[in-house]
Each structure stands twice: as C-alpha cells, then as structure tokens.
Amino acid sequence: TRYFVDHRKVRVVGGRGGAGGRSFYSEPRKIFGGPDGGNGGDGGHVILKADQQMKSLSSVLPFYQGFHGERGGSKNCYGANGAYVYIKVPIGTLVKEDGEVLADLTQHGEEYIAAYGGAGGKGNRFFLSNENRAPVLFTPGEPGQERVLHLELKTTAHAGLVGFPNAGKSSLLRAISRAKPAVAPYPFTTLNPHVGIVHYQDYEQVAVADIPGLIKGAHQNRGLGVSFLKHIERCRFLLYVVDLSVPQPWIQLQDLKYELEQYDRELSERPCVVIGNKIDLAESRINLPLLREQVSERVIALSALTGDNLEELLWHLKELYDTYVKTELSRGQSPVRW
C-alpha cells in the first residue's frame, strides 16, 4: 500500500567522472606515435522532475546516485558520460536545503539538478606540449556533488475546500468530480488532501482540493494543523464549507477565516465563496437566512448528499476559474492548467 507522503529527506550524489586514459600510439613503422590517451567521461547528474502523474512523495527513495563516467581509452577515445538519474516528484514540490528554498517545481516537466556529476579526468594526450613530447601524466575523475535535500509537497489546485471536520467536504468533492475520498459519519475521516477534477463542456478542467478538516488552533499546529494548512497555500480561490445544521453556522466561518489569517494573512484575502451544506435537513433551512444576514460573501446552499443545487456551485466555480485565468494572463503569467 502506498501512503500519502508530503515531505521526504533525500540524499543525492552525482556520478564520479571517469579517469583519463594513459596510452601511446604504436603501429608497424610508426613505433613512437605519441600519447593518445583520451579524457574520461563526466559523471551523471541527479535531476528532480515534476510529473503530473505523481500525487505523493511516497515513491521517492532516501538515496540516489548518478551513474559514473567511463575511463578514457586509447586512440584518443573519450569515455562515455554517465547517464542522468531522474527522480519523479509531484507538481508543487518544494526543494529545500538547510531551510533555504532552492526550487519550486510548479509546472509539468520542470526540472531541477539536485546534484551535479563530477568532471571527467584528462588523458595524457591533453598534456602534450612542445616541452613534453611524451607525457605520462593523467588525472582521475572528480567526485560528484553530494547534498542532503528536504522535499516538501504543497498540493497544487485551483480551488480548496476548507472547513471543519464533518462539514461535508469529501461528500461534496465526490458529488462534483470523480474523486473518491473516504466518507464516514465521524470526524477526521480525511487525513490526506484529495484532488478532484471538474470537467466542463469547453474542455476546461478545474482542480478542486479537499483539504482535511481544520480545528481551532490549527495555526498553532494543534492536531495536524500546519500539515493541513500548507496545502491551502497553492489554491487560487477558496470554498468555505459550513454545516448549516449546527447552531450559528456563521461562527464556523469566522473561526475558519481566523485560522487562515493567523497562518498567512494573504490566504484570507483570496477570492472565496461560502457553501452552506446539508440544506436537505430541516435545521439548515432555518439557519440559511440567518447565515446570509451575517456574512458578506456569496452563500450557495446545497446538499452534497442529495445533489440539490450543485449546478449553482459548478457555474460559480467556473466564473472564479475564468477570473483567475484572465488575471494571470493580464500579468503576463501562464495560469496553471490541468
């Protein structure tokens, strides 16, 4: 079983360069042909590559080493370079070393050279000169770069479902996409973020992330607060999911915004919509007008269980996505597409 992993420590070592060759050319009637030892090949790099098929860091091993370069040969033959080693990581992977961010892989196919291979050594042909007509000197290959990197995954999605446990986020994601997160009548059913894709008729695809339930004090890392909150940072707009059946559901919204603001003030300022879930219950119909009086954002009342009013959410989700695309294009940046 592959478990969801969003952080990994990995040691990477580039391949060693091949040693230079030492030989002298010799054939009939040309005994003293001079030095002809070729240079050694360079060691192979270790490269991190973002792949949209990868959803977790669980397949990343704790150690990688590039292939070594081959030794230089006679007749001025250079040694072959060592092959590169590619490590596939999910989109949204941060590469850190000693707390410093080295790379942020946010596009499919984006690469980062984690460790450079060593340079190949020089053969004795390289040291030929007028002063030294028969050099015997050659150099060994240099060792590859060695580093210890920390990989951290932050889920990349257009929209993030934010709410307290049992608000119905997983049920809503199942209703609007083909994602199948676990659903059960107890809190903290979802412990890992799930991403579902909403398909539209114009072939646009909107990625919606189900962020595991937050609790009060999440910004202080209570429970698994920071582990969950970091997956919201990449979301371009937020969908606050509140349970309409509880007394005073607007308190949930206030607490959610407070947690996000304490973690990162910029999160609370992103485009958002409030989703009042469980409208099929009698208590929810009573609380709905009270909620709309208390909040300034748009409120969409629906039922993830029965599918009531899901169309309004899907249309508004498309409007938020179109606005995001226009904003990115106006800035000269390319929007994230799935």
Side-chain angles (χ1 to χ4, degrees):
T1 302
R2 291 279 189 187
Y3 294 98
F4 179 84
V5 177
D6 56 4
H7 56 87
R8 185 73 94 189
K9 180 181 179 181
V10 58
R11 177 168 163 255
V12 290
V13 181
R16 172 181 287 274
R22 183 181 67 176
S23 64
F24 290 88
Y25 186 74
S26 178
E27 66 177 16
R29 294 183 299 276
K30 195 175 182 180
I31 300 175
F32 301 104
D36 67 347
N39 298 338
D42 297 333
H45 305 327
V46 180
I47 301 176
L48 297 170
K49 186 173 183 178
D51 190 335
Q52 63 184 5
Q53 299 298 326
M54 305 295 293
K55 305 302 179 186
S56 168
L57 294 172
S58 59
S59 61
V60 176
L61 302 177
F63 175 73
Y64 288 91
Q65 181 166 20
F67 290 93
H68 302 314
E70 294 185 5
R71 184 185 184 92
S74 60
K75 298 182 180 179
N76 296 320
C77 290
Y78 282 32
N81 294 333
Y84 296 166
V85 172
Y86 286 91
I87 308 173
K88 291 185 178 181
V89 296
I91 295 175
T93 299
L94 278 175
V95 184
K96 296 182 177 180
E97 183 180 26
D98 298 330
E100 180 184 357
V101 177
L102 304 177
D104 188 359
L105 307 177
T106 58
Q107 300 289 336
H108 175 69
E110 192 173 356
E111 297 180 358
Y112 173 72
I113 300 179
Y116 285 92
K122 302 298 183 183
N124 64 335
R125 167 76 181 186
F126 177 82
F127 298 99
L128 176 64
S129 65
N130 292 330
E131 291 76 20
N132 188 1
R133 305 304 297 173
V136 295
L137 176 64
F138 68 96
T139 59
E142 297 190 6
Q145 185 183 19
E146 181 175 353
R147 307 168 80 182
V148 176
L149 302 177
H150 295 267
L151 307 182
E152 181 179 332
L153 173 62
K154 295 183 179 180
T155 303
T156 301
H158 298 120
L161 293 172
V162 185
F164 286 114
N166 274 120
K169 301 182 298 300
S170 298
S171 299
L172 182 58
L173 187 64
R174 292 172 70 104
I176 63 177
S177 72
R178 295 180 181 178
K180 301 297 180 185
V183 174
Y186 53 81
F188 297 107
T189 310
T190 304
L191 294 177
N192 304 312
H194 294 268
V195 178
I197 307 299
V198 182
H199 298 267
Y200 290 92
Q201 292 182 350
D202 57 357
Y203 301 104
E204 288 286 1
Q205 298 180 354
V206 180
V208 181
D210 173 18
I211 308 300
L214 303 176
I215 62 173
K216 289 185 177 180
H219 68 280
Q220 300 173 342
N221 206 20
R222 292 183 181 173
L224 293 174
V226 173
S227 298
F228 295 163
L229 283 167
K230 69 180 181 182
H231 290 285
I232 308 176
E233 293 182 31
R234 306 277 187 178
C235 298
R236 273 56 183 185
F237 40 90
L238 304 178
L239 309 178
Y240 293 104
V241 183
V242 298
D243 185 354
L244 283 176
S245 63
V246 301
Q248 296 182 328
W250 53 89
I251 301 297
Q252 291 186 18
L253 182 62
Q254 295 174 2
D255 292 339
L256 287 172
K257 288 186 175 182
Y258 176 77
E259 294 299 329
L260 295 185
E261 187 173 348
Q262 293 301 310
Y263 177 74
D264 185 351
R265 181 174 297 274
E266 192 267 336
L267 287 177
S268 61
E269 300 173 356
R270 294 189 183 178
C272 65
V273 63
V274 179
I275 300 174
N277 194 18
K278 305 182 183 180
I279 193 59
D280 53 306
L281 302 178
E283 301 88 345
S284 301
R285 300 190 188 95
I286 299 175
N287 290 330
L288 177 59
L290 301 177
L291 175 64
R292 284 178 167 155
E293 291 178 359
Q294 295 289 333
V295 301
S296 58
E297 296 85 356
R298 178 174 178 175
V299 178
I300 299 177
L302 52 80
S303 172
L305 179 64
T306 63
D308 292 343
N309 205 29
L310 284 179
E311 294 82 3
E312 183 181 355
L313 171 62
L314 293 175
W315 281 113
H316 189 63
L317 187 62
K318 185 63 165 58
E319 293 175 1
L320 290 172
Y321 173 76
D322 291 340
T323 303
Y324 156 70
V325 171
K326 292 179 181 178
T327 303
E328 291 296 302
L329 292 176
S330 64
R331 295 175 179 174
Q333 302 177 358
S334 58
V336 176
R337 298 184 186 273
W338 284 68

